[in-house]
Amino acid sequence: MSHKIVSKSKLSENVFTAEIEASLIAQAGKPGQFVVISINSEYSERIPLTIADADPEKGTIRLIWQRVGKTTAELADMKAGEKIANVVGPLGKPTHLKNFGTVVCVGGGIGNAPLLPIAKALKKAGNKIISILGARSKDLLILEDEFTPISNELIVTTDDGSYGRKALVTEPLKELCQRDQKPDQAFVIGPAIMMKYCCEVTKQFNVPTQVSLNTIMVDATGMCGGCRVEIEGKPKFVCVDGPEFDGHKVNFDLMMKRLDAYKDQEKKAYEQYKKHRCKIGLA
Amino acid sequence: MTEKERQQLLKKQKTGELKPADRYKIPPQDMPEQDPVERTSNVNEVATGYTETHARLEAMRCLQCKNAPCIEGCPVQIRIQDFIAAIADGDFKKALVIIRENSLLPAVCGRVCPQEVQCQQKCTVGLKFKDVGKAVSIGRLERFAADIDQNEGGAPAVAPETGIKVAIIGSGPGGIVAAADTRKAGHDVTIFEAFHKPGGVMVYGIPEFRLPKAIVQKEIDVLTKMGVKIVCNFIVGRTRTIEQLMKEDGFEAVYIGVGAGLPRFMGIEGESLVGVYSANEYLTRANLMKAYDFGKGADTPIALSKKVAVIGGGNVTMDSARTALRLGAEKVYLVYRRTEKEMPARIEEVHHAKEEGIEFHILQSPKRIIGDQNSHVTAIECLKYRLGELDESGRCRPIPIEGSEFQLDVDTVIIAIGNIANPLIRQTTPGLQFNKWGNIIVDENCKTSLQGVYAGGDIVLGAATVILAMGQGRIAAAAINKYLEKKPKSHKKPG
């Protein structure tokens, strides 16, 4: 049972989105959940990707990914009409949705993708949404248009100042926390280092903060434990205990080291792939 | 034994003149194996299997006991003395037909069943020599019968279609048996598997060098031939719940055989450092994901280890240690807090591990795992142990010796101390009862607290073997067939 890519497009230089057939997942998926895909069954690795959106009637889900290594590059090179061999899910616990009051949603880079369905659902649950979207530069900012209609307030930052405010997301986040009416809840999704610093800010102001972690996974059903992170010093599995955790309790430093566990091998595999693409004249 | 002697034995076998005295005289037949040094640099199967000559000689060692005590030792009650007689007669096809009556996985079981504590433990020949090692090698003969017929693989007969839908959750050994047995009764059987390939522990856990994946696939193909549907990438509890399967999708009975679940960690400092694996992760990367071919096609990486410590004393510990060697480790330590005598691993596996150069550190256990500034493992700090009184497991309790700390330099640690129940089914199936360890509570027929829902294998037993899971699959399937027979017909007759 393979999954057809219905449509595919580019959101920025290295970020891609595709709508793929996966009717059962489209029906069952809830905000905060993810899928694991592998392109073919023999040799492909299994990687977790967030369900950015789902259309239960059409039977499709939307995936957004950044080209960072071999598998994500291979996926980026696929075209509409082609098929992905394995898509399994929905995985992980759904976001705990309720009316917190004012929620600040902070997205960094590719993190805007998993943040979007959560922000939408929070809006629907009656929350006032303040979105802070960060990117290194204008070209790398994704999904601004989709955050606009659901945000009561939208702040865009870029590291180089090429668009929006020249700042890291932590700056406007801190300012929000300093307001008389500080946010009741924060949701922060992005690179580990960004989540770490955002959590340091919100902790200072006692703003409860949920983060969604994207660690290395194999089965993603709790069986391997490769995704484990330290929460208050205790091991927790991102795939079954998460992916969302209380950001103030996460050991981000260790998580970042674990994310780099296969850095050299991943780099080698990516280089090999690029070389191969060149050779056959596709790149 | 000379060729002439062998021919005489075969002649006597043919004419029915082979006496117990003749049979006792035949030496136990060893199974050829790859050289221990050579085999650590490949993932090919270690034991290469009997030839016809070996098999017929070994089969003639069987006394053909009237009461066949060996069958009592078999969780799925294979007619052992009959299939062995067929091998002695040279009718290998008949042997396999007899085995398949009760087991769809002869090539698997012949390899991985702990025969020394099951059928072979009861064997009269072994008892006579007061050595289970001299019992008839039932497992090797089973494997021989299965391997020699790999391409034929006739599927067992299926009763006329009943049109009743049965869901089997998990495609491991228990699920395969439950699927086969309910399908034989004519039901419309679907297996749901979470991974992208069926086979459960036989494909993700047990290594290629002990159980080639092609063999597992061929045995699973027999199920497909019987008309069992296999749906991969389907997580019951997430993709659909048991309730949805039964209330909305029309399944009238469910067998839960989801396996072990979450890996157990030790709760010591440093267990989340880079380079610390659960055995589940290490073996899944190596087996299912074929990390041994990383850079040569496979995309899944695994640690490039030099010195590895594997913690535990079971079969999975041996598998992990031997896998690490094959992935290029220079030194592999097996660290176990009791002694070799208490190890739950099969003697054969312990023997293979030692033969390949795994260094055994018994009466030791890690106290903490030490890492460098990059959070990479550099060493484990161990404590020495001594054995105390018997504990509730019937083994001597290991007692740490205070002040005995010492360090073992390693770059990789694999923790192979068992599993705890996966909570997914528990979290998503209201009304299903579990014990305090999270294992499903079942009666003697593997029936759960929910009508029409049965369970078996590791999710019930905690930790079992392939064959015990198969035994439960069989019990559950018999109960499901009986239940469906009595159940008022709510289903549509097949058109």
Side-chain angles (χ1 to χ4, degrees), chain A residues 11 16 50 62 71 94 101 120 125 136 146 159 175 177-178 180 182 185 206 210 217 235-236 248-249 278:
Chain A
L11 292 179
F16 300 81
T50 308
R62 182 183 178 198
T71 302
K120 276 185 184 169
R136 270 183 294 141
E146 303 196 39
D159 297 7
E175 290 160 16
C177 292
Q178 283 166 332
D180 293 340
K182 67 176 184 185
Q185 173 75 36
N206 275 323
Q210 284 290 106
M217 294 185 187
K236 291 276 176 195
H248 297 158
K249 295 177 178 171
C278 273

Side-chain angles (χ1 to χ4, degrees), chain B residues 104-420:
Chain B
L104 269 198
L105 301 172
V108 172
C109 290
R111 287 170 167 82
V112 304
C113 270
Q115 291 99 7
E116 65 279 6
V117 294
Q118 296 179 165
C119 51
Q120 289 174 200
Q121 191 184 45
K122 310 253 176 184
C123 174
T124 316
V125 179
L127 293 176
K128 154 96 182 171
F129 288 114
K130 297 195 173 66
D131 179 359
V132 70
K134 292 203 169 109
V136 176
S137 286
I138 300 167
R140 293 169 181 178
L141 290 170
E142 183 185 21
R143 168 183 168 166
F144 169 79
D147 286 0
I148 205 164
D149 188 66
Q150 274 297 305
N151 295 320
E152 303 197 14
V158 170
E161 300 289 339
T162 62
I164 301 175
K165 286 170 81 175
V166 175
I168 308 290
I169 310 174
S171 65
I176 289 174
V177 172
D181 285 3
T182 47
R183 178 64 192 140
K184 278 185 204 161
H187 302 311
D188 178 3
V189 180
T190 307
I191 299 182
F192 296 102
E193 165 58 43
F195 264 129
H196 56 280
K197 271 187 198 164
V201 72
M202 298 182 292
V203 300
Y204 74 73
I206 303 174
E208 179 78 15
F209 57 82
R210 204 149 75 79
L211 181 62
K213 303 306 146 220
I215 282 167
V216 179
Q217 188 55 50
K218 272 180 183 150
E219 302 209 317
I220 289 171
D221 288 345
V222 178
L223 273 185
T224 319
K225 274 186 209 158
M226 290 171 72
V228 171
K229 293 167 219 160
I230 302 176
V231 179
C232 289
N233 297 315
F234 192 108
I235 300 179
V236 174
R238 289 272 183 247
T239 313
R240 301 286 282 165
T241 62
I242 289 179
E243 201 173 7
Q244 285 174 318
L245 289 177
M246 298 188 84
K247 286 191 178 152
E248 297 170 27
D249 303 342
F251 288 95
E252 298 194 33
V254 173
Y255 174 76
I256 307 171
V258 295
L262 277 52
R264 196 188 290 276
F265 286 96
M266 303 181 75
I268 58 173
E269 186 191 321
E271 272 187 308
S272 293
L273 291 169
V274 179
V276 182
Y277 288 89
S278 72
N280 287 358
E281 181 183 3
Y282 196 76
L283 291 173
T284 303
R285 284 178 180 273
N287 297 318
L288 179 74
M289 307 310 293
K290 300 193 170 76
Y292 52 80
D293 273 344
F294 181 79
K296 290 177 277 179
D299 293 341
T300 304
I302 198 161
L304 304 167
S305 316
K306 288 205 163 61
K307 289 183 175 178
V308 181
V310 189
I311 319 298
N315 289 320
V316 174
T317 323
M318 303 300 152
D319 285 347
S320 306
R322 297 171 68 200
T323 297
L325 267 190
R326 282 159 177 77
L327 289 169
E330 289 158 13
K331 198 97 202 144
V332 181
Y333 308 112
L334 188 140
V335 182
Y336 181 56
R337 59 190 186 144
R338 293 182 167 102
T339 71
E340 213 176 299
K341 208 179 100 208
E342 286 83 18
M343 281 185 181
R346 293 182 66 191
I347 294 162
E348 188 182 320
E349 300 311 325
V350 172
H351 165 75
H352 278 146
K354 283 188 159 175
E355 210 176 43
E356 290 172 8
I358 309 287
E359 201 174 285
F360 279 48
H361 286 238
I362 55 160
L363 291 170
Q364 296 174 10
S365 188
K367 191 181 163 195
R368 67 186 176 112
I369 304 170
I370 302 162
D372 61 15
Q373 71 278 12
N374 289 318
S375 298
H376 285 252
V377 172
T378 55
I380 51 173
E381 185 180 271
C382 292
L383 266 175
K384 290 183 179 164
Y385 281 67
R386 63 180 174 82
L387 290 183
E389 301 292 299
L390 291 183
D391 65 9
E392 63 275 12
S393 75
R395 297 176 297 176
C396 292
R397 188 187 301 278
I399 301 164
I401 301 169
E402 235 175 282
S404 66
E405 287 90 345
F406 69 100
Q407 283 192 11
L408 209 51
D409 289 344
V410 293
D411 52 41
T412 306
V413 179
I414 304 168
I415 300 175
I417 55 168
N419 293 290
I420 48 175

Side-chain angles (χ1 to χ4, degrees), chain A residues 204-262:
Chain A
Q204 211 181 314
F205 294 94
N206 275 323
V207 175
T209 304
Q210 284 290 106
V211 291
S212 179
L213 307 181
N214 186 358
T215 50
I216 296 172
M217 294 185 187
V218 186
D219 67 296
T221 61
M223 194 205 74
C224 88
C227 64
R228 67 194 183 280
V229 288
E230 262 184 31
I231 306 294
E232 284 187 310
K234 294 217 163 61
K236 291 276 176 195
F237 293 0
V238 173
C239 68
V240 289
D241 299 318
E244 286 179 20
F245 292 96
D246 177 344
H248 297 158
K249 295 177 178 171
V250 177
N251 181 343
F252 285 106
D253 293 329
L254 186 59
M255 179 186 148
M256 285 186 262
K257 303 285 192 209
R258 287 187 66 83
L259 279 170
D260 280 346
Y262 301 102

Side-chain angles (χ1 to χ4, degrees), chain A residues 81-140:
Chain A
E82 289 189 277
K83 284 174 173 176
I84 299 169
N86 307 293
V87 180
V88 59
L91 295 157
K93 287 184 180 164
T95 304
H96 176 59
L97 293 167
K98 67 169 197 180
N99 191 346
F100 296 97
T102 300
V103 178
V104 55
C105 292
V106 191
I110 183 76
N112 294 357
L115 186 63
L116 181 63
I118 296 170
K120 276 185 184 169
L122 286 167
K123 175 80 183 174
K124 217 170 151 188
N127 291 283
K128 183 182 163 199
I129 307 290
I130 304 174
S131 303
I132 305 175
L133 305 180
R136 270 183 294 141
S137 67
K138 187 185 176 187
D139 299 338
L140 300 175

